[in-house]
Amino acid sequence: MIGTAAISIRQLCKRYGSITAVKDLTLEVSAGEVFGFLGLNGAGKTTTIRVLLDLLRATSGEAFIFGEDCRTRGLAARAQIGYLPGEMGVFADLRGGEVLDLLGGLSAGGINHAYRKKLMDQLELPASVLGRKLREYSTGMKRKLGLIQALQCEPRLLILDEPTEGLDPLMQEAFYAILDEWRGLGRTIFMSSHVLSEVERVCDRVAVLRQGELVLLSTVKDARNLAPRRVRVSFSRAVDATPEWPPQYALVRRTADTWELQVEGELGPLLTLLSGLPVRDLAIAEPKLEDVLVKYYRGTAA
């Protein structure tokens, strides 16, 4: 067994002939962590998740769930997981309640029916809807059902693939409230998402894959700090001065009484440059996670 981490991945590779989907991936997710697993389509995220679920076998390397080998102890590993796939691949003629019972029956922990009812209330999926066949469900209803089936057995680890896809803004907020509850219980959440504002809101750390390789592993706070800040300086009158900017400063836009700067690093040098000028206001926009991650997606990060 490998430690007590929720997920341990060691030198994982998956190849399809000459195509490498995942290359030498090493990653560890601590118990109780909310972890964002990010990358563009085709980056290797779904392949990695399928290896964790033993739906795919790795070409080389190892993967563990709470110390259980995903390959040799696949049943024990999966018994601790609640999984929401990107697409619910379930027979369309099954009714919603049958889907929940079928998938819940595969869990070693069994269904907590009282908690299922609570989830249905939180996600506004009425009991009457469970009597309808899946083919009659809207995209949002299928997503709600998928979330409920992943959560209803209260697993130690949640693996969620695009969890809010198809949910309206109110239901997204309900989902975030559920995640907050799970975080408070010390459960582990491993989620893939293309909604970077969502990742910034709920995750503790993020990993970014690009073409199968890990290109960033960071806390959300540290990743955000990799992006330059936007600073807007307003003056009480027109200013003609042209300071000699430090290398980490860039003047983005200038008018007679306004400067807009892009600043990396500390702001101390800026305050020195502004001394003696008729500064009326100084506004600093905190960097967004998206500003950093898009560079890693594109391969333009330094």
Side-chain angles (χ1 to χ4, degrees):
M1 288 191 177
I2 299 277
T4 56
I7 297 174
S8 293
I9 298 172
R10 298 287 181 267
Q11 297 296 310
L12 189 71
C13 292
K14 178 60 181 178
R15 290 188 292 272
Y16 299 93
S18 61
I19 298 173
T20 300
V22 178
K23 181 179 180 181
D24 296 328
L25 177 62
T26 295
L27 187 65
E28 189 163 288
V29 178
S30 301
E33 190 171 17
V34 181
F35 193 93
F37 195 50
L38 312 176
L40 299 177
N41 290 334
K45 306 185 304 297
T46 299
T47 295
T48 302
I49 288 173
R50 287 175 176 171
V51 169
L52 291 173
L53 296 167
D54 201 31
L55 299 176
L56 283 178
R57 293 289 171 88
T59 305
S60 61
E62 299 174 300
F64 300 82
I65 300 293
F66 290 108
E68 302 286 359
D69 191 307
C70 295
R71 181 167 184 170
T72 63
R73 295 273 298 166
L75 287 177
R78 289 195 299 276
Q80 304 178 79
I81 298 173
Y83 173 51
L84 173 70
E87 292 287 339
M88 286 281 289
V90 182
F91 293 114
D93 282 332
L94 285 179
R95 302 181 189 279
E98 293 172 334
V99 171
L100 293 181
D101 291 341
L102 172 65
L103 298 179
L106 300 176
S107 171
I111 300 168
N112 182 332
H113 288 277
Y115 185 54
R116 177 201 280 183
K117 178 60 169 62
K118 179 183 177 182
L119 290 169
M120 290 170 59
D121 292 340
Q122 287 176 295
L123 294 172
E124 297 182 10
L125 191 71
S128 59
V129 173
L130 297 187
R132 295 164 58 181
K133 292 184 177 181
L134 213 62
R135 68 170 66 253
E136 301 173 17
Y137 277 37
S138 67
T139 300
M141 290 164 61
K142 288 179 182 178
R143 213 65 188 149
K144 293 178 185 181
L145 191 74
L147 285 168
I148 292 169
Q149 66 81 24
L151 293 157
Q152 65 180 347
C153 298
E154 300 180 290
R156 295 177 69 189
L157 169 64
L158 276 178
I159 297 180
L160 308 175
D161 194 351
E162 299 295 335
T164 58
E165 183 74 25
L167 296 181
D168 64 45
L170 288 178
M171 289 302 97
Q172 290 177 21
E173 290 298 322
F175 167 71
Y176 299 146
I178 293 169
L179 286 195
D180 286 341
E181 292 173 6
W182 278 62
R183 186 197 297 271
L185 293 171
R187 303 288 171 83
T188 308
I189 301 163
F190 185 81
M191 58 182 283
S192 170
S193 176
H194 284 116
V195 184
L196 298 185
S197 59
E198 173 177 278
V199 172
E200 187 168 22
R201 174 172 179 168
V202 304
C203 292
D204 301 311
R205 285 197 301 153
V206 294
V208 177
L209 292 187
R210 183 166 56 84
Q211 297 178 355
E213 295 188 68
L214 182 66
V215 293
L216 177 68
L217 177 61
S218 172
T219 66
V220 168
K221 179 180 179 181
D222 287 346
R224 192 190 298 118
N225 289 339
L226 293 173
R229 285 170 285 182
R230 296 295 289 258
V231 179
R232 180 184 175 90
V233 185
S234 301
F235 301 99
S236 56
R237 57 177 171 77
V239 172
D240 296 326
T242 303
E244 184 175 340
W245 303 109
Q248 67 271 31
Y249 286 29
L251 183 63
V252 177
R253 181 173 173 272
R254 177 175 181 168
T255 65
D257 60 356
T258 303
W259 293 347
E260 290 187 11
L261 304 165
Q262 191 165 278
V263 177
E264 297 182 14
E266 297 180 355
L267 290 173
L270 176 62
L271 300 180
T272 301
L273 291 171
L274 294 176
S275 63
L277 296 177
V279 176
R280 179 172 57 82
D281 189 26
L282 187 67
I284 303 171
E286 287 301 313
K288 296 181 180 180
L289 185 65
E290 181 176 357
D291 297 334
V292 178
L293 297 189
V294 168
K295 293 182 180 179
Y296 282 92
Y297 287 175
R298 293 173 177 167
T300 58

